[in-house]
Amino acid sequence: MDPAQDHSKLYDTRVARRYFDKFDKITGHLGRVAASLQVEGQFSKTDVQVLGRYLAGLTFTFRALSHKYLFSGRMPRAGQLAFDREESGFPVFSELMEMANDAQQADRHLRNMPSVEAMKDDMIRKIVSDLEIPTKLQYALSQRLYYEELARGKLFWGRNDPEALWQGNIADGHRKFLIHWAVYDSQINLPTVYLMEVEDTGKVALPKDQRRWPEAQAHLMAQALGGLKLLTIARGFDEDFDDLHPKRLRRLHLGPMYSHAFTRQSGPLREVLETARAPEGEDWALVWTLEELESERVEREKKGWFGSVQREIFALDPMAGQGAETGATRTERALILPQRPYQALEEMQPPGFRGVRKFVVSKQGRVLSYR
């Protein structure tokens, strides 16, 4: 099936603004959810700082796209945002690819554009002198703001290459690193963040090793596919790098986003949102899925004539054989949603949601956790 058949476009200016306003609220809540998980001990302070950078980048990405498509439906050349209406609720991967290409030329565009102040002065003169709405000037300003956002950087791109954070030394001079990277998964149109805790037994610290670090980065990015099990990713890394030992690998899927106004996903959440009849801006629910794989022990494996290397043996979920199927030690799904949809969910009690954790967010920014 052609994935493009699942994509829709936002042709109307007001609809596009409501869509971006919705995601502005959602991304604002995600940092608070991560902070609440830090309090519980599920995330460390470093984990939350790393996640905060990616969540902020996601906010900047949506802000840039909102400028780009501010005049959808009002200007012939304004374009329309393509988003995955059937599955993820997020913009399609090609939108981020096009945005990355635009970022390469942002400085050139900005050099050839009047300043924001000059554009606003022109708009005022147009309104006062000609008694007209300066639509073309407003569109030009929105594009200026779009390129300014791209030039500032720090957005969530289609691929966000690995970084290594030193976490301390252990016995015999070995080092601990937290390697993190992220992708906008092209198969499911969702932002996905990876966190890997690694023990480095090499002679040179990993980020300073001109041989191992570029290879490790390329390896991890090539394996950053939602369809791959964590066990496959961790084992492949462990086998390809004899002096890098993955002790823990986590993958966080941000989405799908459900909205009665914008998406057509099937399942109980669609009925919940329809029943809730939540006011504008509160008609949504976001799925947050965290997969974890942990090393249980190590074994020595013969390599060459006289040598041996350390290999990780990973713990898989023992419940009903699910570990071998999922390739993870544990998987936890959570639902982030406003108060009205949560009340409808509790009243309807659809099957499959009893064990799902719920984070209920308020307009004031409070986050309450329920199981």
Side-chain angles (χ1 to χ4, degrees):
M1 182 177 178
D2 183 2
Q5 295 179 3
D6 296 335
H7 302 165
S8 297
K9 291 190 175 183
L10 299 176
Y11 292 97
D12 184 84
T13 301
R14 291 171 297 178
V15 174
R17 290 182 180 178
R18 288 202 300 271
Y19 179 84
F20 287 115
D21 286 345
K22 187 184 301 291
F23 267 103
D24 185 62
K25 293 183 175 68
I26 292 173
T27 55
H29 291 306
L30 295 181
R32 301 184 186 99
V33 171
S36 69
L37 292 173
Q38 179 188 349
V39 172
E40 296 177 6
Q42 187 168 354
F43 286 143
S44 69
K45 181 179 179 181
T46 302
D47 293 336
V48 173
Q49 289 173 342
V50 170
L51 289 175
R53 288 172 53 188
Y54 289 120
L55 295 175
L58 198 59
T59 299
F60 299 149
T61 292
F62 275 101
R63 186 180 301 167
L65 290 173
S66 70
H67 289 312
K68 180 180 181 180
Y69 294 114
L70 185 62
F71 282 83
S72 296
R74 292 184 60 187
M75 295 290 295
R77 299 179 182 178
Q80 298 90 28
L81 175 80
F83 74 106
D84 186 351
R85 188 169 189 172
E86 301 293 336
E87 297 294 339
S88 77
F90 278 70
V92 300
F93 177 71
S94 60
E95 290 286 355
L96 274 78
M97 293 295 293
E98 185 175 333
M99 189 176 67
N101 291 333
D102 289 342
Q104 299 298 316
Q105 307 178 67
D107 290 340
R108 180 173 62 83
H109 282 284
L110 291 171
R111 283 197 304 269
N112 296 326
M113 286 179 166
S115 68
V116 171
E117 292 73 17
M119 289 184 179
K120 289 182 177 179
D121 288 342
D122 289 342
M123 281 190 274
I124 292 173
R125 283 194 291 269
K126 189 74 173 175
I127 294 171
V128 174
S129 302
D130 300 338
L131 302 179
E132 293 181 6
I133 298 175
T135 304
K136 292 183 178 180
L137 289 171
Q138 290 174 326
Y139 172 68
L141 177 58
S142 72
Q143 300 310 293
R144 167 91 198 189
L145 296 175
Y146 168 62
Y147 285 112
E148 285 185 353
E149 197 70 55
L150 297 184
R152 275 192 288 269
K154 298 183 179 180
L155 286 78
F156 192 106
W157 304 105
R159 52 177 288 161
N160 306 268
D161 290 346
E163 296 183 40
L165 300 177
W166 177 72
Q167 299 295 287
N169 294 333
I170 51 180
D172 301 324
H174 298 169
R175 311 164 192 88
K176 292 173 61 178
F177 288 98
L178 174 65
I179 303 176
H180 62 88
W181 67 101
V183 296
Y184 198 89
D185 197 311
S186 61
Q187 297 176 342
I188 55 178
N189 295 312
L190 285 179
T192 307
V193 179
Y194 293 81
L195 303 168
M196 178 187 282
E197 297 172 16
V198 172
E199 181 179 320
D200 177 15
T201 58
K203 295 181 180 180
V204 180
L206 178 61
K208 298 180 180 179
D209 192 319
Q210 298 181 7
R211 178 184 60 84
R212 292 185 304 154
W213 183 227
E215 292 179 9
Q217 288 178 303
H219 178 101
L220 293 174
M221 291 308 301
Q223 299 295 304
L225 301 172
L228 286 181
K229 298 176 182 178
L230 293 188
L231 182 62
T232 302
I233 298 172
R235 276 183 177 170
F237 189 82
D238 191 34
E239 292 171 359
D240 282 3
F241 300 93
D242 293 341
D243 46 17
L244 293 174
H245 313 289
K247 297 297 183 179
R248 187 185 187 195
L249 175 60
R250 287 167 290 171
R251 177 166 58 191
L252 176 62
H253 301 274
L254 298 172
M257 186 278 289
Y258 292 78
S259 170
H260 183 58
F262 289 100
T263 63
R264 289 198 296 254
Q265 296 110 321
S266 59
L269 275 181
R270 178 182 178 181
E271 298 176 13
V272 167
L273 292 172
E274 184 177 1
T275 302
R277 299 186 181 278
E280 186 176 313
E282 299 181 36
D283 168 40
W284 59 270
L286 183 87
V287 179
W288 164 300
T289 303
L290 179 64
E291 302 171 87
E292 295 188 65
L293 179 70
E294 296 178 348
S295 174
E296 186 175 44
R297 65 185 191 278
V298 298
E299 292 184 353
R300 303 299 299 186
E301 178 182 285
K302 184 178 179 182
K303 186 169 185 178
W305 288 100
F306 306 104
S308 66
V309 294
Q310 175 181 311
R311 295 298 184 214
E312 305 296 325
I313 305 301
F314 296 99
L316 298 179
D317 186 353
M319 299 300 293
Q322 288 294 313
E325 182 179 338
T326 63
T329 306
R330 68 186 66 87
T331 300
E332 182 175 352
R333 291 180 175 84
L335 198 60
I336 306 167
L337 69 175
Q339 293 170 331
R340 184 79 71 84
Y342 171 72
Q343 291 171 354
L345 180 67
E346 287 299 293
E347 291 172 2
M348 296 177 65
Q349 289 290 322
F353 282 84
R354 184 176 297 276
V356 175
R357 188 170 188 180
K358 294 92 175 175
F359 291 98
V360 182
V361 299
S362 69
K363 293 180 180 180
Q364 294 75 30
R366 294 183 61 196
V367 176
L368 299 176
S369 174
Y370 299 94
R371 290 188 181 272

